[in-house]
């Protein structure tokens, strides 16, 4: 099914989405994207449905064709301090505030959001598989976060973040059990299953 360009009739509708919410390490990253009404792309879909190769191909295309786009990270310490839901919303707000135009309307992937200034908004469950502007935001959030995780992988290669991107894979949890935690780990998350004791 083809994705719709946007939900509202406003000229400057912004789609926003985040990546990395379920990770054990690294930031939660959000993007906001405003696409022109003429935008078309047959490949663009929810970033989780696309291969890494396709996401990397789409990133410069979205950036060159968007009316405006922005990306914002919220890092581990703040996630631990305000919780992951609030951090995800803060990352979305941060990306929207970095747009070079103020959107008339915001559509948000998921079912939780807080008002951004006085801009009307709507939350849409699975919005990244329904609307092109949210799908575009999901691609940028994912590719920018992946690039960040690949960068910090060099500092702590034993966790293999270039592959697992901080998600709770068996390999990542085994590395936490063996080497302990880093400054990039989210201390408020259950980093290991109950049978392990970990002194944080």
């Amino acid at each position: 099914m083809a994705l719709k360009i946007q939900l509202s009739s406003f000229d400057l509708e912004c789609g926003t989405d985040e990546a990395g919410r379920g990770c054990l390490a690294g930031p939660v990253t959000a993007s906001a994207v405003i696409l022109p009404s003429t935008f078309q792309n047959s490949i663009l879909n929810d970033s989780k449905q696309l291969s890494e190769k396709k996401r990397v191909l789409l990133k410069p295309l979205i950036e060159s064709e968007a009316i405006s786009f922005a990306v914002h990270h919220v890092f581990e310490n703040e996630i631990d301090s305000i919780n992951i839901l609030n951090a995800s919303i803060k990352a979305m707000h941060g990306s929207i505030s970095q747009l070079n135009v103020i959107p008339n309307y915001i559509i948000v992937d998921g079912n939780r959001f807080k008002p951004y200034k006085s801009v009307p908004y709507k939350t849409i469950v699975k919005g990244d598989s329904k609307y092109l502007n949210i799908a575009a935001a999901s691609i940028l959030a994912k590719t920018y976060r992946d690039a960040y995780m690949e960068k910090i992988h060099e500092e702590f290669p034993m966790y293999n973040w270039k592959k697992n991107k901080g998600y709770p894979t068996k390999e990542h949890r085994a590395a936490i059990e063996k080497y302990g935690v880093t400054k990039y780990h989210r201390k408020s998350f259950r980093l290991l299953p109950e049978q392990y004791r970990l002194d944080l």
Side-chain angles (χ1 to χ4, degrees):
M1 191 180 77
L3 277 64
K4 296 170 183 164
I5 186 71
Q6 62 179 61
L7 172 71
S8 73
S9 56
F10 289 101
D11 287 340
L12 298 175
E13 179 183 284
C14 151
T16 186
D17 195 8
E18 51 70 30
R21 193 166 162 172
C23 293
L24 303 180
V28 61
T29 303
S31 173
V33 178
I34 300 173
L35 295 173
S37 59
T38 53
F39 182 87
Q40 286 184 317
N41 189 286
S42 58
I43 302 169
L44 181 56
N45 204 326
D46 164 16
S47 66
K48 295 183 286 295
Q49 309 294 324
L50 297 174
S51 65
E52 186 173 0
K53 188 177 175 185
K54 282 185 178 168
R55 289 195 297 267
V56 169
L57 266 173
L58 284 165
K59 176 180 174 279
L61 188 147
I62 292 163
E63 292 176 346
S64 65
E65 294 199 33
I67 292 169
S68 186
F69 73 90
V71 176
H72 187 79
H73 299 294
V74 171
F75 291 96
E76 312 77 31
N77 290 349
E78 197 161 6
I79 293 169
D80 289 336
S81 162
I82 64 175
N83 82 41
I84 188 61
L85 173 63
N86 287 322
S88 299
I89 294 170
K90 185 166 184 178
M92 291 187 208
H93 281 203
S95 64
I96 296 165
S97 70
Q98 288 165 234
L99 295 169
N100 57 22
V101 291
I102 298 168
N104 309 123
Y105 196 80
I106 300 164
I107 59 173
V108 184
D109 184 59
N111 61 359
R112 302 291 289 277
F113 195 63
K114 292 174 184 171
Y116 176 80
K117 298 187 175 176
S118 57
V119 182
Y121 72 89
K122 185 170 177 61
T123 56
I124 301 163
V125 175
K126 296 191 166 55
D128 48 7
S129 59
K130 296 171 185 172
Y131 294 97
L132 286 167
N133 50 11
I134 299 181
S138 81
I139 299 284
L140 296 191
K142 177 81 175 129
T143 51
Y144 275 86
R145 189 183 182 282
D146 284 358
Y148 176 85
M149 294 307 294
E150 285 160 20
K151 188 174 126 194
I152 63 171
H153 166 88
E154 303 302 323
E155 206 176 331
F156 293 100
M158 62 283 259
Y159 299 93
N160 204 10
W161 289 330
K162 71 177 180 190
K163 183 183 175 196
N164 63 51
K165 306 300 191 285
Y167 281 92
T169 60
K170 277 186 182 173
E171 174 190 47
H172 189 186
R173 286 205 151 119
I176 294 170
E177 188 197 357
K178 185 173 180 182
Y179 302 106
V181 296
T182 67
K183 61 186 178 183
Y184 298 112
H185 281 99
R186 302 174 183 178
K187 311 298 190 294
S188 59
F189 277 46
R190 183 181 292 170
L191 298 174
L192 289 174
E194 290 298 325
Q195 67 260 38
Y196 299 120
R197 286 302 304 270
L198 193 65
D199 295 321
L200 297 180

